[in-house]
Amino acid sequence: MDAAETFHVAAPAATSLAALAADASIEVTPKAARTDELRRLVRPGSDVFLTHLPGDTIHTRANATAAIAAAGMTPVPHVAAREAVDETALAQDVAALLDAGAGGFMLIGGGGAQKGPFFDALAVLQTGVLQRAGVMQIGLAGHPEGHPQVSDTGLLEALKAKLAIAQSFAKDVTIVSQFVFDPLPLLAWVEALRSQGVGAKVRVGLSGPASPATLLSYALRCGIGPSLKALQSKPSLTSYMTRRWRPDALAEAVAQAAVADPALGIDGLHIFPFGGLKAAGEWLRDVGADAALPHGAS
């Protein structure tokens, strides 16, 4: 896929994409989790990942978790390693989120300053806090285009170490990828995981509809590599700065690969609603994800 294809606004995709998107998860902030828009736009039963932004309190996050559960969805709060001041506080936060209805946790390092002894998700897993709490669903971050501060070899070794611990106690362990704009590095990364003996299922992260300016901003913030270069290399990029982007072509390429090669273990999509929850929910509906809107809603 070249940059021109990346910005193509395609027609609603075919059945393969609808099947893949039917079980899509979505990521929301605590503020978005407490709105009626979540109930209106996200299908009941969906996994809803709750961000852990620097400065979010456990009270805020527990209330948001409860709101997601009350809306008939499965809350999957982030656990940001660098936000935990110590193991006791980590255990208390996990317990509070489980009491609020959390169905599992997405483990991340976090983008803020390190407040305690935990630098990354592996350190959190090594405490045994999640095991002792009886957590059965774990999400682990994957980086198809690498990480600006860690080598590819280091990323693979860390992922294998995290998987070894998580799979020893959790029934459902999923690798959730960072968002990309190009399917080629994503699919090459999945194939490389399989060749290295990593068998955990993969949920593919992608941005919902958003302006190119917003996408570029998040890509720069998250260190997206080849995909960002593809966007930046587009000669007429400025002509797109007022046009909203839809990920149809990207998602369809992933769906076709998943259908053609089930051994890839692509389990679904994970939507980052950079352009807003409304746009992301409507996109899922448009691609035919079993009517992402609840039946009877409009």
Side-chain angles (χ1 to χ4, degrees):
M1 178 188 292
D2 61 22
E5 291 173 317
T6 299
F7 277 97
H8 176 61
V9 179
T15 304
S16 59
L17 174 54
L20 189 65
D23 193 35
S25 54
I26 194 165
E27 194 156 304
V28 300
T29 64
K31 181 178 179 181
R34 297 190 297 270
T35 65
D36 290 338
E37 198 169 55
L38 179 71
R39 191 187 305 269
R40 184 172 64 85
L41 291 169
V42 179
R43 202 163 53 93
S46 298
D47 283 350
V48 177
F49 286 53
L50 181 68
T51 61
H52 188 172
L53 302 175
D56 284 347
T57 67
I58 186 57
H59 178 73
T60 297
R61 298 177 65 237
N63 283 346
T65 298
I68 294 169
M73 299 147 200
T74 301
V76 185
H78 286 191
V79 171
R82 291 171 210 140
E83 288 290 309
V85 296
D86 56 34
E87 186 173 326
T88 298
L90 174 65
Q92 290 173 342
D93 286 1
V94 167
L97 292 167
L98 288 171
D99 287 345
F105 295 95
M106 176 69 192
L107 307 185
I108 62 172
Q114 186 173 341
K115 297 179 179 178
F118 311 119
F119 176 73
D120 55 19
L122 179 58
V124 169
L125 283 164
Q126 289 171 334
T127 65
V129 165
L130 299 172
Q131 296 92 312
R132 292 191 293 272
V135 175
M136 290 289 104
Q137 179 180 347
I138 295 289
L140 299 172
H143 299 86
E145 296 182 331
H147 190 286
Q149 298 175 330
V150 186
S151 69
D152 289 346
T153 299
L155 285 172
L156 178 61
E157 291 176 351
L159 180 59
K160 286 183 173 181
K162 288 182 285 188
L163 284 168
I165 298 175
Q167 291 175 331
S168 71
F169 68 90
K171 293 181 179 179
D172 183 355
V173 180
T174 303
I175 301 169
V176 183
S177 83
Q178 179 62 278
F179 66 96
V180 297
F181 300 122
D182 186 336
L184 297 182
L186 168 80
L187 295 173
W189 170 74
V190 176
E191 290 174 353
L193 289 181
R194 303 317 180 204
S195 71
Q196 291 291 324
V198 176
K201 59 188 178 181
V202 172
R203 190 165 285 260
V204 174
L206 55 84
S207 167
S211 72
T214 297
L215 296 181
L216 286 170
S217 174
Y218 276 100
L220 288 168
R221 188 183 311 174
C222 298
I224 302 303
S227 287
L228 176 59
K229 292 178 181 178
L231 292 179
Q232 291 175 318
S233 67
K234 184 174 177 59
S236 57
L237 178 63
T238 55
S239 69
Y240 287 86
M241 296 309 282
T242 60
R243 181 186 302 180
R244 291 185 69 78
W245 176 78
R246 287 168 57 98
D248 301 70
L250 168 59
E252 179 59 24
V254 172
Q256 289 177 0
V259 171
D261 187 3
L264 288 174
I266 294 176
D267 185 58
L269 302 177
H270 180 70
I271 310 301
F272 296 90
F274 299 139
L277 180 59
K278 182 175 185 293
E282 290 177 347
W283 180 78
L284 283 171
R285 176 192 61 193
D286 290 348
V287 298
D290 190 27
L293 290 173
H295 296 298
S298 62

